[in-house]
Amino acid sequence: MPGTLTDLTRLRAVLTAFFALDGFIFAGWVVRIPAIKEQTGASAGTLGLALLGVSAGAVVTMMLTGRLCHRYGNHQVTVVCAVLLSLSVSLPPLTHSALTLGLVLLIFGAAYGGINVAFNSAAVELVRAMRRPIMPSFHAAFSLGGMVGAGLGGLVAGSLTPTQHLFGLTVLGLVVTALIGRPLLRLQPPAPREDSPKEEAAPRRLNARTRGLVVTFGLIALCTAFGEGALADWSALHLQEDLDATAGAAAIGYSCFALAMTAGRLSGTRLLERLGRTRTLVAGGTTAAVGMLLGALAPTLWAAVLGFVITGLGLANLFPVAVERAGTLAGPDGVAIASTLGYGGMLLGPPAIGFMADWYSLPAALTSVAVLAATAALIGFLTRHAAER
């Protein structure tokens, strides 16, 4: 088993590359959604139903992947899901109806959900072996991959068809998987260090108490992902309609939020080493709550954008810490439960904001992000004994 510093460093580099590849491929698909909508002739409503295929495939597969990781290993499942993700991203532009689009997105969503559980589980094992809180660095790689994928997709959108672009992602994904998959398969999962505390030496059996703790950390992931989904879909509209921003200026809001999250995750390891998990969760949730209140209720554009930046910094490390703690407690099953709850929060956020905006107003609806961020901080404090290192 790899226990040397060199082995662990190599494993960290390879897993980081898989996180970045996942974000890159997913973002490449997202930027071509408008073109594929036009190609299929789908209305906004039918496109929304088709896009649920990604969510349905991911949520169903996440729970199954925990069992597959137990049986075949996190590294093997990561490589298989990366191949499936790379292949399936080329399918959407081959469809010509909302129904067939929804069906192929089930496959794409299954691969996306599967690889997220598998490489997060592998990352949890590495965190436990290294005894360093490096989980945020992996999620920073996902965010950076997504930013590069979205930027590149925007650049080639005018010159490449969706078929050419997404087929290019398939080729690139398969090549990268071949290059980084081999070393991942050669490296055995790291054993916990001999001086690890007993409770961190191996995941616990998923009994009622452990399941309850895992679900509790999953709720933190849900609260965080709710905010991410809500800001992705509603921040630009809020700036444009409520603060009279131009379309270009309105787009800056989410970009600043995403950049702040990435920066927060890049500094997450140092923050966790200095503050510990509990104070990071409490401080992060509190910061995000304050930032979102500013972002939702500020009377000027730049004050609102500042609020989004503060929110991104606050939310940045909540999801990685929650998933890492769930995985430490219950292995791949814990990662699967927390990831499923987190993904559910991302799905719940946009429509929930929409309904609340209809009932009250969009600024009032966006304050729900602040409420859930504060809830995550409270959960972090109440679970402080389970969350400490």
Side-chain angles (χ1 to χ4, degrees), residues 150-236:
L152 181 62
L155 288 175
V156 305
S159 56
L160 297 181
T161 66
T163 302
Q164 293 170 331
H165 177 201
L166 297 186
F167 181 74
L169 291 185
T170 291
V171 174
L172 181 63
L174 291 175
V175 169
V176 173
T177 299
L179 291 174
I180 63 178
R182 287 185 177 182
L184 183 64
L185 293 175
R186 291 194 190 106
L187 290 168
Q188 294 298 315
R193 285 170 39 169
E194 294 181 359
D195 59 345
S196 296
K198 183 178 179 181
E199 63 271 16
E200 292 189 2
R204 305 174 191 173
R205 295 184 61 184
L206 200 58
N207 54 31
R209 182 177 182 279
T210 302
R211 185 182 294 274
L213 285 170
V214 167
V215 169
T216 300
F217 286 115
L219 290 176
I220 295 176
L222 185 152
C223 292
T224 305
F226 180 99
E228 290 186 57
L231 283 167
D233 284 23
W234 292 101
S235 59

Side-chain angles (χ1 to χ4, degrees), residues 29 76 81 111 119 126 149 152 190 207 239-240 270 277 336 341 353 355:
W29 142 249
Q76 288 79 1
C81 287
F119 61 34
L126 183 58
L152 181 62
N207 54 31
L239 297 180
Q240 196 166 355
R270 182 172 297 178
R277 292 184 179 92
L341 285 168
I353 295 293
F355 285 125

Side-chain angles (χ1 to χ4, degrees), residues 101-177:
L101 176 62
L103 292 175
V104 300
L105 288 180
L106 281 171
I107 303 172
F108 181 68
Y112 179 72
I115 195 172
N116 273 269
V117 171
F119 61 34
N120 271 295
S121 298
V124 168
E125 290 180 337
L126 183 58
V127 169
R128 193 165 57 237
M130 295 185 72
R131 297 287 301 281
R132 287 194 68 208
I134 59 173
M135 198 70 173
S137 67
F138 295 118
H139 289 259
F142 174 86
S143 298
L144 287 170
M147 291 170 62
V148 173
L152 181 62
L155 288 175
V156 305
S159 56
L160 297 181
T161 66
T163 302
Q164 293 170 331
H165 177 201
L166 297 186
F167 181 74
L169 291 185
T170 291
V171 174
L172 181 63
L174 291 175
V175 169
V176 173
T177 299

Side-chain angles (χ1 to χ4, degrees), residues 260-286:
M261 282 203 74
T262 303
R265 286 174 171 174
L266 286 171
S267 60
T269 295
R270 182 172 297 178
L271 185 70
L272 283 164
E273 287 177 334
R274 177 167 294 185
L275 298 182
R277 292 184 179 92
T278 293
R279 282 185 287 180
T280 297
L281 290 173
V282 173
T286 303

Side-chain angles (χ1 to χ4, degrees), residues 18 95 209:
F18 270 109
T95 62
R209 182 177 182 279

Side-chain angles (χ1 to χ4, degrees), residues 271-356:
L271 185 70
L272 283 164
E273 287 177 334
R274 177 167 294 185
L275 298 182
R277 292 184 179 92
T278 293
R279 282 185 287 180
T280 297
L281 290 173
V282 173
T286 303
T287 300
V290 172
M292 198 60 233
L293 287 175
L294 177 61
L297 304 177
T300 63
L301 169 65
W302 295 112
V305 171
L306 175 62
F308 292 160
V309 169
I310 295 171
T311 303
L313 291 172
L315 292 181
N317 296 303
L318 301 189
F319 191 96
V321 171
V323 170
E324 185 260 320
R325 291 311 299 155
T328 298
L329 286 168
D333 289 333
V335 172
I337 292 171
S339 298
T340 301
L341 285 168
Y343 202 78
M346 188 167 286
L347 296 178
L348 177 65
I353 295 293
F355 285 125
M356 287 186 282

